[in-house]
Amino acid sequence: MNNLQTAVNEILNSLDQTAYPAAFLAQYDQLECLANGHGTETFLVRQRQTGKLYVAKFYDKQLYSLVHESSILKGLHHSGLPAFTDEFENDRGVCIVREYIEGKSLDRYLAEQSPDQTTKLALCLQLCDILIYLHGQENPVIHRDIKPQNIIIRPDGSLVLIDFDIARVYHRQAETDTQFFGTREYAPPEQYGFSQTDGRADIYSFGILLRFLFTGSEKANNKCVVYPPLAKIINKCTAFAPQERFRNAAALKKALQEANPAAQLRRKILLSVCLLAAVALSVWAGLRWYRAATYNPFAEGIIPTVATDAERVSDAITYLQQKFNTKLFDDSAAYADIGFVKTILTELYGYGRDYVYALPEEGLPHESEHNFLPWGMGDEQYLPRDVMAYVAVKIYWPEKVTDYTSLKDDNGVYPGVRVALQFAEKSGMLSGVGRPEDISKGETAVLLANADRLFAAKTE
């Protein structure tokens, strides 16, 4: 304790005590000079009443007519920024006291800890969050001196951005900055007076810092190979023209997250899975189409799982022949197709040819006054039973194929078919047609005869 007090007394004796505000000297002991230059002196101080450590920065009024740091820090509240504590002033200068951040500067941290790439990237993302906060203020705060020495890494790995002595508030009406102080390697071109600095000035400095983190140097070096997505980000950050850089820190953070090798790997895996799924779906759909296009339940050697009663088919054909005077169903064992359905609609039920043969409208299948079938099916495509049930229900009860209130989910099947099938099953219209796959002309006759009889019974 005596040694510490002796050191404090030696520091105090070496200082020009008249330069510092008396109230500051009455409340704080100066323990160590941390930095000295550009008309400022920075000290590690101890508050006499509490014994807590703080950082005090003294600005010489001969060089600084106006000090921004206190006004900026007073309005900021973020875990990644030092908290404002107090302010003192006399004729010689202004003294700002802020929170002391325990930890190591980023350059020391890198030299001593040798963090891996993932840790470095995590630190960059933390810095992005701080910049998002600063630039997102009602009057954006531009730090203008982002460099390893102004970044402190706490023992828990969290990051703090310090030293706001050359920070400024962005004013939209200003054309250029009035003065420049900063670190040359990290300063963007506009900070030399070409134009007013905005948030993209900090993004430029961030790019130089990023290069330092992953190459060990602030300067570009073609001999140093950088992970390509990261190199692209560095080049974009450090573009000469501000408009060619990331528009804000949020966009920069997103780019860094996407450049993470782990994220890149996940993206490639996801893309591969999606491609494989698309291929598998295409193969499945192709096999299903091929089966539908080639399967003939009446071919030699094939025994249908559910056979339609011959007498029921004969009765249905006779019924339709008498009602419509038609021979369309004479070849009852033949395979029915979509072209056969269109012939039935035009020749038996009097629908206009343009309406029946019209191609479906663009977009997802839906009911329309311009076309009977809501989806595209080739005339030669065999006719599934469920599609014919939809056609029969739409002929006699068109309002039912547009009422989807009974459907509780979406299983990918056109809803008009689903509600038509529900009605057909409930009303008994499917009686005599047990096979769910593609059907014959005779089975088509059964569905139509059942529908016509059901309609007649309901209207009597």
Side-chain angles (χ1 to χ4, degrees), residues 323-353:
K323 182 176 181 66
F324 296 106
N325 190 25
T326 180
K327 295 184 178 181
L328 286 176
F329 304 98
D330 285 359
D331 190 6
S332 62
Y335 211 50
D337 56 28
I338 297 299
F340 180 64
V341 172
K342 293 178 179 178
T343 301
I344 291 173
L345 291 172
T346 54
E347 293 189 11
L348 300 189
Y349 291 94
Y351 288 99
R353 183 176 180 82

mmCIF file of all heavy atoms in Angstrom, residues 323-353:
data_model
loop_
_atom_site.group_PDB
_atom_site.id
_atom_site.type_symbol
_atom_site.label_atom_id
_atom_site.label_comp_id
_atom_site.label_asym_id
_atom_site.label_seq_id
_atom_site.Cartn_x
_atom_site.Cartn_y
_atom_site.Cartn_z
ATOM 1 N N LYS A 323 -81.030 -42.174 -72.831
ATOM 2 C CA LYS A 323 -81.169 -40.765 -72.469
ATOM 3 C C LYS A 323 -80.563 -39.840 -73.526
ATOM 4 O O LYS A 323 -81.136 -38.803 -73.863
ATOM 5 C CB LYS A 323 -80.510 -40.494 -71.121
ATOM 6 C CG LYS A 323 -80.654 -39.044 -70.631
ATOM 7 C CD LYS A 323 -80.072 -38.867 -69.254
ATOM 8 C CE LYS A 323 -80.245 -37.420 -68.784
ATOM 9 N NZ LYS A 323 -81.665 -37.054 -68.578
ATOM 10 N N PHE A 324 -79.368 -40.210 -74.044
ATOM 11 C CA PHE A 324 -78.646 -39.318 -74.959
ATOM 12 C C PHE A 324 -78.572 -39.843 -76.399
ATOM 13 O O PHE A 324 -78.003 -39.162 -77.256
ATOM 14 C CB PHE A 324 -77.213 -39.105 -74.446
ATOM 15 C CG PHE A 324 -77.149 -38.404 -73.117
ATOM 16 C CD1 PHE A 324 -76.830 -39.110 -71.956
ATOM 17 C CD2 PHE A 324 -77.412 -37.045 -73.007
ATOM 18 C CE1 PHE A 324 -76.755 -38.471 -70.724
ATOM 19 C CE2 PHE A 324 -77.345 -36.404 -71.779
ATOM 20 C CZ PHE A 324 -77.024 -37.115 -70.629
ATOM 21 N N ASN A 325 -79.092 -41.041 -76.629
ATOM 22 C CA ASN A 325 -79.015 -41.639 -77.964
ATOM 23 C C ASN A 325 -77.562 -41.645 -78.451
ATOM 24 O O ASN A 325 -77.230 -41.103 -79.507
ATOM 25 C CB ASN A 325 -79.888 -40.876 -78.958
ATOM 26 C CG ASN A 325 -80.022 -41.604 -80.288
ATOM 27 O OD1 ASN A 325 -79.888 -42.836 -80.363
ATOM 28 N ND2 ASN A 325 -80.262 -40.847 -81.354
ATOM 29 N N THR A 326 -76.695 -42.263 -77.659
ATOM 30 C CA THR A 326 -75.265 -42.249 -77.945
ATOM 31 C C THR A 326 -74.689 -43.645 -78.022
ATOM 32 O O THR A 326 -75.225 -44.581 -77.419
ATOM 33 C CB THR A 326 -74.504 -41.464 -76.860
ATOM 34 O OG1 THR A 326 -73.116 -41.461 -77.161
ATOM 35 C CG2 THR A 326 -74.709 -42.071 -75.491
ATOM 36 N N LYS A 327 -73.604 -43.773 -78.780
ATOM 37 C CA LYS A 327 -72.860 -45.029 -78.847
ATOM 38 C C LYS A 327 -71.432 -44.869 -78.316
ATOM 39 O O LYS A 327 -70.569 -45.710 -78.563
ATOM 40 C CB LYS A 327 -72.812 -45.512 -80.297
ATOM 41 C CG LYS A 327 -74.176 -45.884 -80.862
ATOM 42 C CD LYS A 327 -74.041 -46.455 -82.275
ATOM 43 C CE LYS A 327 -75.416 -46.867 -82.818
ATOM 44 N NZ LYS A 327 -75.303 -47.440 -84.190
ATOM 45 N N LEU A 328 -71.210 -43.770 -77.580
ATOM 46 C CA LEU A 328 -69.872 -43.486 -77.071
ATOM 47 C C LEU A 328 -69.338 -44.567 -76.142
ATOM 48 O O LEU A 328 -68.126 -44.764 -76.034
ATOM 49 C CB LEU A 328 -69.867 -42.143 -76.327
ATOM 50 C CG LEU A 328 -69.939 -40.877 -77.185
ATOM 51 C CD1 LEU A 328 -70.015 -39.638 -76.305
ATOM 52 C CD2 LEU A 328 -68.721 -40.802 -78.098
ATOM 53 N N PHE A 329 -70.224 -45.275 -75.468
ATOM 54 C CA PHE A 329 -69.785 -46.235 -74.443
ATOM 55 C C PHE A 329 -69.834 -47.683 -74.911
ATOM 56 O O PHE A 329 -69.675 -48.602 -74.103
ATOM 57 C CB PHE A 329 -70.659 -46.085 -73.191
ATOM 58 C CG PHE A 329 -70.661 -44.688 -72.629
ATOM 59 C CD1 PHE A 329 -71.704 -43.825 -72.942
ATOM 60 C CD2 PHE A 329 -69.640 -44.242 -71.818
ATOM 61 C CE1 PHE A 329 -71.728 -42.543 -72.432
ATOM 62 C CE2 PHE A 329 -69.658 -42.955 -71.312
ATOM 63 C CZ PHE A 329 -70.695 -42.090 -71.621
ATOM 64 N N ASP A 330 -70.011 -47.872 -76.223
ATOM 65 C CA ASP A 330 -70.154 -49.248 -76.719
ATOM 66 C C ASP A 330 -68.899 -50.080 -76.454
ATOM 67 O O ASP A 330 -68.992 -51.262 -76.116
ATOM 68 C CB ASP A 330 -70.454 -49.219 -78.220
ATOM 69 C CG ASP A 330 -71.893 -48.805 -78.507
ATOM 70 O OD1 ASP A 330 -72.635 -48.564 -77.524
ATOM 71 O OD2 ASP A 330 -72.259 -48.675 -79.684
ATOM 72 N N ASP A 331 -67.737 -49.471 -76.620
ATOM 73 C CA ASP A 331 -66.491 -50.204 -76.349
ATOM 74 C C ASP A 331 -66.184 -50.064 -74.853
ATOM 75 O O ASP A 331 -65.237 -49.396 -74.447
ATOM 76 C CB ASP A 331 -65.363 -49.630 -77.207
ATOM 77 C CG ASP A 331 -64.095 -50.488 -77.156
ATOM 78 O OD1 ASP A 331 -64.164 -51.582 -76.545
ATOM 79 O OD2 ASP A 331 -63.062 -50.042 -77.687
ATOM 80 N N SER A 332 -67.000 -50.729 -74.039
ATOM 81 C CA SER A 332 -66.973 -50.501 -72.587
ATOM 82 C C SER A 332 -65.672 -50.904 -71.915
ATOM 83 O O SER A 332 -65.305 -50.365 -70.865
ATOM 84 C CB SER A 332 -68.137 -51.252 -71.932
ATOM 85 O OG SER A 332 -68.004 -52.647 -72.153
ATOM 86 N N ALA A 333 -64.932 -51.845 -72.492
ATOM 87 C CA ALA A 333 -63.700 -52.313 -71.859
ATOM 88 C C ALA A 333 -62.494 -51.433 -72.193
ATOM 89 O O ALA A 333 -61.437 -51.575 -71.583
ATOM 90 C CB ALA A 333 -63.413 -53.752 -72.263
ATOM 91 N N ALA A 334 -62.670 -50.541 -73.163
ATOM 92 C CA ALA A 334 -61.544 -49.696 -73.581
ATOM 93 C C ALA A 334 -61.171 -48.707 -72.472
ATOM 94 O O ALA A 334 -62.018 -48.285 -71.677
ATOM 95 C CB ALA A 334 -61.893 -48.958 -74.863
ATOM 96 N N TYR A 335 -59.906 -48.355 -72.484
ATOM 97 C CA TYR A 335 -59.397 -47.425 -71.476
ATOM 98 C C TYR A 335 -59.893 -46.007 -71.778
ATOM 99 O O TYR A 335 -59.746 -45.506 -72.894
ATOM 100 C CB TYR A 335 -57.875 -47.471 -71.526
ATOM 101 C CG TYR A 335 -57.188 -47.223 -70.218
ATOM 102 C CD1 TYR A 335 -57.551 -47.894 -69.071
ATOM 103 C CD2 TYR A 335 -56.125 -46.325 -70.152
ATOM 104 C CE1 TYR A 335 -56.883 -47.677 -67.876
ATOM 105 C CE2 TYR A 335 -55.458 -46.100 -68.969
ATOM 106 C CZ TYR A 335 -55.849 -46.781 -67.827
ATOM 107 O OH TYR A 335 -55.187 -46.569 -66.649
ATOM 108 N N ALA A 336 -60.495 -45.314 -70.806
ATOM 109 C CA ALA A 336 -60.967 -43.943 -70.991
ATOM 110 C C ALA A 336 -59.813 -42.958 -70.836
ATOM 111 O O ALA A 336 -58.902 -43.184 -70.041
ATOM 112 C CB ALA A 336 -62.065 -43.636 -69.982
ATOM 113 N N ASP A 337 -59.864 -41.860 -71.612
ATOM 114 C CA ASP A 337 -58.825 -40.834 -71.482
ATOM 115 C C ASP A 337 -59.484 -39.453 -71.418
ATOM 116 O O ASP A 337 -60.709 -39.320 -71.498
ATOM 117 C CB ASP A 337 -57.809 -40.922 -72.614
ATOM 118 C CG ASP A 337 -58.450 -40.843 -73.994
ATOM 119 O OD1 ASP A 337 -59.525 -40.212 -74.111
ATOM 120 O OD2 ASP A 337 -57.879 -41.381 -74.958
ATOM 121 N N ILE A 338 -58.663 -38.410 -71.274
ATOM 122 C CA ILE A 338 -59.177 -37.049 -71.129
ATOM 123 C C ILE A 338 -59.889 -36.597 -72.396
ATOM 124 O O ILE A 338 -60.902 -35.885 -72.339
ATOM 125 C CB ILE A 338 -58.033 -36.076 -70.772
ATOM 126 C CG1 ILE A 338 -57.423 -36.453 -69.411
ATOM 127 C CG2 ILE A 338 -58.524 -34.639 -70.737
ATOM 128 C CD1 ILE A 338 -58.388 -36.395 -68.252
ATOM 129 N N GLY A 339 -59.392 -37.015 -73.547
ATOM 130 C CA GLY A 339 -60.078 -36.680 -74.804
ATOM 131 C C GLY A 339 -61.497 -37.242 -74.829
ATOM 132 O O GLY A 339 -62.418 -36.597 -75.349
ATOM 133 N N PHE A 340 -61.688 -38.445 -74.282
ATOM 134 C CA PHE A 340 -63.012 -39.061 -74.205
ATOM 135 C C PHE A 340 -63.936 -38.223 -73.319
ATOM 136 O O PHE A 340 -65.113 -38.010 -73.645
ATOM 137 C CB PHE A 340 -62.870 -40.480 -73.647
ATOM 138 C CG PHE A 340 -64.160 -41.222 -73.517
ATOM 139 C CD1 PHE A 340 -64.921 -41.547 -74.633
ATOM 140 C CD2 PHE A 340 -64.623 -41.618 -72.262
ATOM 141 C CE1 PHE A 340 -66.118 -42.248 -74.503
ATOM 142 C CE2 PHE A 340 -65.812 -42.310 -72.137
ATOM 143 C CZ PHE A 340 -66.563 -42.625 -73.252
ATOM 144 N N VAL A 341 -63.409 -37.713 -72.217
ATOM 145 C CA VAL A 341 -64.202 -36.854 -71.328
ATOM 146 C C VAL A 341 -64.650 -35.593 -72.059
ATOM 147 O O VAL A 341 -65.804 -35.167 -71.942
ATOM 148 C CB VAL A 341 -63.390 -36.482 -70.078
ATOM 149 C CG1 VAL A 341 -64.121 -35.432 -69.243
ATOM 150 C CG2 VAL A 341 -63.110 -37.705 -69.225
ATOM 151 N N LYS A 342 -63.742 -34.981 -72.828
ATOM 152 C CA LYS A 342 -64.092 -33.769 -73.554
ATOM 153 C C LYS A 342 -65.172 -34.042 -74.604
ATOM 154 O O LYS A 342 -66.066 -33.203 -74.831
ATOM 155 C CB LYS A 342 -62.837 -33.171 -74.206
ATOM 156 C CG LYS A 342 -61.821 -32.650 -73.200
ATOM 157 C CD LYS A 342 -60.561 -32.116 -73.867
ATOM 158 C CE LYS A 342 -59.575 -31.575 -72.840
ATOM 159 N NZ LYS A 342 -58.323 -31.086 -73.472
ATOM 160 N N THR A 343 -65.109 -35.212 -75.225
ATOM 161 C CA THR A 343 -66.153 -35.588 -76.186
ATOM 162 C C THR A 343 -67.500 -35.734 -75.490
ATOM 163 O O THR A 343 -68.539 -35.299 -76.004
ATOM 164 C CB THR A 343 -65.776 -36.913 -76.876
ATOM 165 O OG1 THR A 343 -64.535 -36.759 -77.551
ATOM 166 C CG2 THR A 343 -66.839 -37.320 -77.886
ATOM 167 N N ILE A 344 -67.500 -36.356 -74.301
ATOM 168 C CA ILE A 344 -68.736 -36.495 -73.524
ATOM 169 C C ILE A 344 -69.323 -35.123 -73.199
ATOM 170 O O ILE A 344 -70.535 -34.880 -73.349
ATOM 171 C CB ILE A 344 -68.456 -37.268 -72.217
ATOM 172 C CG1 ILE A 344 -68.131 -38.737 -72.518
ATOM 173 C CG2 ILE A 344 -69.634 -37.163 -71.251
ATOM 174 C CD1 ILE A 344 -67.677 -39.518 -71.303
ATOM 175 N N LEU A 345 -68.468 -34.192 -72.754
ATOM 176 C CA LEU A 345 -68.939 -32.861 -72.354
ATOM 177 C C LEU A 345 -69.548 -32.096 -73.527
ATOM 178 O O LEU A 345 -70.556 -31.392 -73.361
ATOM 179 C CB LEU A 345 -67.770 -32.062 -71.757
ATOM 180 C CG LEU A 345 -67.240 -32.559 -70.404
ATOM 181 C CD1 LEU A 345 -65.964 -31.818 -70.014
ATOM 182 C CD2 LEU A 345 -68.295 -32.390 -69.306
ATOM 183 N N THR A 346 -68.950 -32.220 -74.714
ATOM 184 C CA THR A 346 -69.463 -31.461 -75.865
ATOM 185 C C THR A 346 -70.647 -32.159 -76.541
ATOM 186 O O THR A 346 -71.648 -31.515 -76.886
ATOM 187 C CB THR A 346 -68.339 -31.236 -76.898
ATOM 188 O OG1 THR A 346 -67.758 -32.506 -77.255
ATOM 189 C CG2 THR A 346 -67.261 -30.335 -76.320
ATOM 190 N N GLU A 347 -70.571 -33.484 -76.722
ATOM 191 C CA GLU A 347 -71.602 -34.197 -77.478
ATOM 192 C C GLU A 347 -72.822 -34.567 -76.640
ATOM 193 O O GLU A 347 -73.950 -34.571 -77.159
ATOM 194 C CB GLU A 347 -71.013 -35.452 -78.121
ATOM 195 C CG GLU A 347 -69.984 -35.142 -79.205
ATOM 196 C CD GLU A 347 -69.565 -36.375 -79.975
ATOM 197 O OE1 GLU A 347 -70.223 -37.447 -79.806
ATOM 198 O OE2 GLU A 347 -68.596 -36.299 -80.740
ATOM 199 N N LEU A 348 -72.601 -34.896 -75.359
ATOM 200 C CA LEU A 348 -73.737 -35.321 -74.533
ATOM 201 C C LEU A 348 -74.320 -34.178 -73.701
ATOM 202 O O LEU A 348 -75.545 -34.077 -73.551
ATOM 203 C CB LEU A 348 -73.331 -36.465 -73.605
ATOM 204 C CG LEU A 348 -72.818 -37.751 -74.263
ATOM 205 C CD1 LEU A 348 -72.683 -38.857 -73.220
ATOM 206 C CD2 LEU A 348 -73.734 -38.207 -75.393
ATOM 207 N N TYR A 349 -73.449 -33.331 -73.148
ATOM 208 C CA TYR A 349 -73.930 -32.331 -72.192
ATOM 209 C C TYR A 349 -73.960 -30.916 -72.763
ATOM 210 O O TYR A 349 -74.343 -29.986 -72.069
ATOM 211 C CB TYR A 349 -73.084 -32.379 -70.915
ATOM 212 C CG TYR A 349 -73.330 -33.670 -70.145
ATOM 213 C CD1 TYR A 349 -72.505 -34.776 -70.334
ATOM 214 C CD2 TYR A 349 -74.413 -33.790 -69.272
ATOM 215 C CE1 TYR A 349 -72.726 -35.964 -69.642
ATOM 216 C CE2 TYR A 349 -74.636 -34.963 -68.572
ATOM 217 C CZ TYR A 349 -73.792 -36.054 -68.772
ATOM 218 O OH TYR A 349 -74.039 -37.222 -68.086
ATOM 219 N N GLY A 350 -73.577 -30.754 -74.026
ATOM 220 C CA GLY A 350 -73.792 -29.493 -74.720
ATOM 221 C C GLY A 350 -72.869 -28.348 -74.339
ATOM 222 O O GLY A 350 -73.154 -27.199 -74.654
ATOM 223 N N TYR A 351 -71.741 -28.631 -73.701
ATOM 224 C CA TYR A 351 -70.788 -27.562 -73.390
ATOM 225 C C TYR A 351 -70.092 -27.103 -74.676
ATOM 226 O O TYR A 351 -69.837 -27.912 -75.584
ATOM 227 C CB TYR A 351 -69.732 -28.043 -72.392
ATOM 228 C CG TYR A 351 -70.256 -28.231 -70.988
ATOM 229 C CD1 TYR A 351 -70.604 -29.497 -70.524
ATOM 230 C CD2 TYR A 351 -70.409 -27.149 -70.125
ATOM 231 C CE1 TYR A 351 -71.070 -29.682 -69.233
ATOM 232 C CE2 TYR A 351 -70.877 -27.325 -68.824
ATOM 233 C CZ TYR A 351 -71.216 -28.590 -68.392
ATOM 234 O OH TYR A 351 -71.706 -28.774 -67.119
ATOM 235 N N GLY A 352 -69.788 -25.808 -74.759
ATOM 236 C CA GLY A 352 -69.097 -25.286 -75.928
ATOM 237 C C GLY A 352 -67.702 -25.857 -76.068
ATOM 238 O O GLY A 352 -67.000 -26.078 -75.073
ATOM 239 N N ARG A 353 -67.302 -26.065 -77.322
ATOM 240 C CA ARG A 353 -65.993 -26.671 -77.570
ATOM 241 C C ARG A 353 -64.867 -25.778 -77.032
ATOM 242 O O ARG A 353 -63.907 -26.273 -76.442
ATOM 243 C CB ARG A 353 -65.827 -26.903 -79.080
ATOM 244 C CG ARG A 353 -64.512 -27.607 -79.413
ATOM 245 C CD ARG A 353 -64.419 -27.920 -80.898
ATOM 246 N NE ARG A 353 -63.157 -28.582 -81.202
ATOM 247 C CZ ARG A 353 -62.936 -29.878 -81.047
ATOM 248 N NH1 ARG A 353 -63.901 -30.666 -80.618
ATOM 249 N NH2 ARG A 353 -61.757 -30.400 -81.338
#
